Amino acid sequence: MGAWHIEVDENVCVGSGMCAALAPDRFVLEGPAASVVQGAADTDADEVLLDVADSCPASAVTVTDGESGEVLGPRP
Amino acid sequence: MLGPPGATQSAQGRTALPVTTGNPPSATFPWERPLTSTTPPTSTSLSLPAPVPYPFNEQGDGLGLHAAYADAREGAGMVRVRLPHGEPAWLATRYEDARFVLGDLRFSRAMALENDEPRYNAARSKPSILSMDPPDHTRLRTLVSRAFTRHQVEGLRPWVRELTSGLLDEMVAAGSPADLVENFALPLPVQVICELLGVPASDRGQFRVWSDALLSTTRLTEDELKENQDQLTGYLAGYVAERRADPRDDLMSGLIEARDAKDRLSEEELVSLCVAILVAGHETTASQIPNFVWTLLEQPEEWQRLVDDPELVPGAVEELMRYIPLGAGAAFPRYAKEDVEVGGVLVRRGEAVVVSLGSANRDPARFDEPETLRFDRPANQHLGFGHGVHHCLGAQLARMELQEALRALVTKVPGLRIAGEPEWKRQMLVRAPRVLPVGW
């Protein structure tokens, strides 16, 4: 389990590609919706992931604390 | 002097217009071009159905959606159309096809610049963020998107709430009736975008002229359009020079820093981006506010529902974004970079596709009772802000402004009513009342 956990809600995703642009090692946009790169969902804490969650125009990216499950991003 | 009562006006609202232009698309077109065909693109014109004139909606009053869209959705889905200028295009009318075309990277906006793109005005579009593909587009978009995150936008909400409240107080103090556009719908988004960008809101009279010109379809000659483009570009280039000498805490200074320090933006991109932000940042929101009010007052029980429970406003904003066909017709064609099958039709490499967001948003295959306003519509994934890499950059900002505008209206002037004939925009890419007399 990594320190943080990232998810993309593919039903909400509008395919803007923001996540894949800001963190190409963790997100990929192939087809109609973005997804987390295989094996990258549990990750070390990284500020850029909060930027990704904030920048998503559909708020489809969620960053949670790997231990507590607390939602860290998008920031309110 | 009051206008006719609301009941008379509702007649000209969203009732579907009769089919009067050209032949409506029907299911009888010869779509059966085999997907395995090896005919080169140059000779496919023989096998393509004859394009029908487009846009379907004539320049008229109200926010109706032409019956031809429903015919097309139920029939072929993908229809060959001819816009007033440029080459023919496929028109996507179904939700699934619309979303697919907007989201699939095999469709290019950049290719529109190299082709005789289907368009409403004789003038060719200039390169901008709207005519770029990834990865160039992504580079520009990530620079600007930081200013438009939900976090940033929520930070502006208290100020916007004060702004909406202040504008309505002034309108009410000046007495009923009043023009909702001039007194509320226009100054609100203009002040917000000027604040973000860092240009004086006092110049808004001039923005309105330029912005109208840039979004006009056939109202202006090519020379007039170019003159307006040059003036707006010159105006913003002046501010760019000023901010470069004396940076402030605004979006333009941030973009200049990105240009100068990281060399990631060319000067031309920088100015064109500011033009796009200024125009897109207020014209659409300024149009949707009177469109929302017009639509709700045509269905007074829906207005009353919001008056009784303003907590419904966020859901109402999403539903109104779905319900109202803001665009006068599908615009911003995408070009197929390779052969792609869309909704059972083979779109050949090099062919253009335009997407009707208004039609997709009323597709019964995606939305139950699409002609009915439902503020509690579950999973309302409307395409009102588009989809894919060009999904509205300012969607979160627009949502927040529209929510605050609607909340202020239903709480401060619950007795709002239409107080005269609206004057509708003509020959513009977006539809809305230019003047909307209201009383309270």
Side-chain angles (χ1 to χ4, degrees):
Chain A
M1 204 63 186
W4 284 4
H5 180 75
I6 50 177
E7 272 177 33
V8 178
D9 184 340
E10 295 185 17
N11 295 316
V12 175
C13 175
V14 296
S16 78
M18 282 295 100
C19 54
L22 291 170
D25 51 335
R26 293 186 176 100
F27 298 92
V28 59
L29 177 63
E30 281 167 5
S35 53
V36 176
V37 168
Q38 194 87 32
D42 295 302
T43 164
D44 293 337
D46 185 347
E47 183 77 14
V48 78
L49 295 173
L50 297 179
D51 284 345
V52 168
D54 288 347
S55 302
C56 174
S59 302
V61 176
T62 313
V63 182
T64 47
D65 186 293
E67 293 291 322
S68 66
E70 180 198 353
V71 175
L72 305 172
R75 289 169 278 202
Chain B
M1 186 65 193
L2 299 184
T8 356
Q9 302 201 351
S10 58
Q12 56 181 281
R14 72 184 59 79
T15 321
L17 299 166
V19 177
T20 49
T21 346
N23 302 313
S26 71
T28 57
F29 287 135
W31 305 112
E32 291 74 47
R33 197 159 40 143
L35 293 175
T36 51
S37 165
T38 52
T39 323
T42 46
S43 62
T44 52
S45 56
L46 287 177
S47 59
L48 286 173
V52 294
Y54 190 80
F56 300 144
N57 290 63
E58 293 198 55
Q59 290 295 333
D61 293 348
L63 298 167
L65 195 61
H66 199 284
Y69 286 111
D71 291 346
R73 282 194 310 262
E74 286 156 24
M78 295 282 285
V79 176
R80 288 294 283 176
V81 292
R82 181 181 288 284
L83 274 68
H85 299 273
E87 62 185 299
W90 293 101
L91 171 73
T93 58
R94 292 179 183 147
Y95 180 89
E96 192 184 344
D97 297 344
R99 200 175 149 104
F100 174 77
V101 170
L102 297 177
D104 195 297
L105 296 176
R106 288 172 295 176
F107 286 99
S108 160
R109 273 291 299 146
M111 279 168 71
L113 293 177
E114 306 150 15
N115 285 281
D116 186 16
E117 68 167 318
R119 59 197 186 275
Y120 296 90
N121 194 297
R124 307 297 300 267
S125 52
K126 294 175 89 171
S128 76
I129 190 167
L130 268 165
S131 60
M132 294 170 81
D133 293 338
D136 288 343
H137 171 266
T138 322
R139 176 177 60 95
L140 237 60
R141 178 153 177 161
T142 45
L143 285 177
V144 198
S145 66
R146 288 166 195 275
F148 292 91
T149 64
R150 201 170 70 160
H151 183 62
Q152 296 289 340
V153 163
E154 287 305 319
L156 289 173
R157 192 187 285 271
W159 173 67
V160 171
R161 188 164 290 186
E162 269 175 48
L163 206 55
T164 53
S165 181
L167 286 167
L168 283 183
D169 286 345
E170 279 173 38
M171 187 177 90
V172 168
S176 170
D179 174 14
L180 186 75
V181 177
E182 190 59 38
N183 291 287
F184 185 68
L186 193 61
L188 171 65
V190 167
Q191 288 194 38
V192 172
I193 206 69
C194 288
E195 173 74 19
L196 264 176
L197 205 52
V199 298
S202 53
D203 291 342
R204 70 172 187 248
Q206 193 53 56
F207 297 155
R208 189 178 191 183
V209 174
W210 289 327
S211 178
D212 271 11
L214 262 62
L215 289 168
S216 86
T217 51
T218 53
R219 199 167 51 85
L220 299 183
T221 67
E222 205 168 336
D223 284 346
E224 285 171 334
L225 181 65
K226 190 175 178 311
E227 196 187 317
N228 277 282
Q229 275 176 343
D230 290 348
Q231 283 178 6
L232 176 53
T233 305
Y235 171 86
L236 285 170
Y239 272 103
V240 166
E242 211 178 293
R243 286 294 179 281
R244 173 165 292 135
D246 181 17
R248 295 191 197 170
D249 184 22
D250 54 36
L251 178 57
M252 194 184 283
S253 302
L255 292 172
I256 291 168
E257 196 209 324
R259 149 101 178 91
D260 290 352
K262 299 161 198 161
D263 197 24
R264 292 182 70 198
L265 272 180
S266 73
E267 183 76 16
E268 199 190 349
E269 284 172 338
L270 174 58
V271 174
S272 133
L273 203 51
C274 291
V275 170
I277 292 168
L278 185 64
V279 174
H282 83 271
E283 182 74 29
T284 43
T285 312
S287 296
Q288 283 296 59
I289 293 170
N291 286 348
F292 281 18
V293 167
W294 173 256
T295 302
L296 289 169
L297 292 181
E298 272 197 309
Q299 303 182 46
E301 67 286 0
E302 301 302 325
W303 171 265
Q304 192 57 43
R305 203 188 298 277
L306 294 178
V307 169
D308 294 343
D309 186 4
E311 295 302 307
L312 295 176
V313 162
V317 166
E318 296 309 312
E319 178 66 346
L320 288 159
M321 282 296 302
R322 180 194 71 81
Y323 183 85
I324 294 172
L326 174 65
F332 305 113
R334 269 75 176 169
Y335 277 81
K337 292 200 274 192
E338 55 187 86
D339 292 3
V340 185
E341 193 195 331
V342 183
V345 162
L346 181 66
V347 177
R348 290 268 184 198
R349 177 169 62 89
E351 287 180 350
V353 183
V354 287
V355 172
S356 171
L357 303 175
S359 173
N361 280 334
R362 300 271 189 107
D363 186 349
R366 176 59 184 78
F367 300 102
D368 289 340
E369 297 182 39
E371 307 297 326
T372 305
L373 276 178
R374 268 201 218 160
F375 300 154
D376 60 348
R377 197 174 279 283
N380 191 349
Q381 279 183 277
H382 63 79
L383 301 183
F385 290 113
H387 185 77
V389 299
H390 294 284
H391 178 278
C392 177
L393 180 64
Q396 304 284 23
L397 180 65
R399 282 193 167 100
M400 183 271 283
E401 286 185 53
L402 292 169
Q403 288 166 5
E404 290 305 321
L406 198 49
R407 195 190 310 272
L409 286 164
V410 297
T411 53
K412 290 185 83 89
V413 277
L416 197 71
R417 59 188 161 76
I418 304 292
E421 283 298 317
E423 187 187 308
W424 293 87
K425 291 183 183 182
R426 301 277 175 206
Q427 294 161 336
M428 298 284 288
L429 286 177
V430 295
R431 301 192 292 172
R434 178 180 293 281
V435 175
L436 184 61
V438 290
W440 51 87

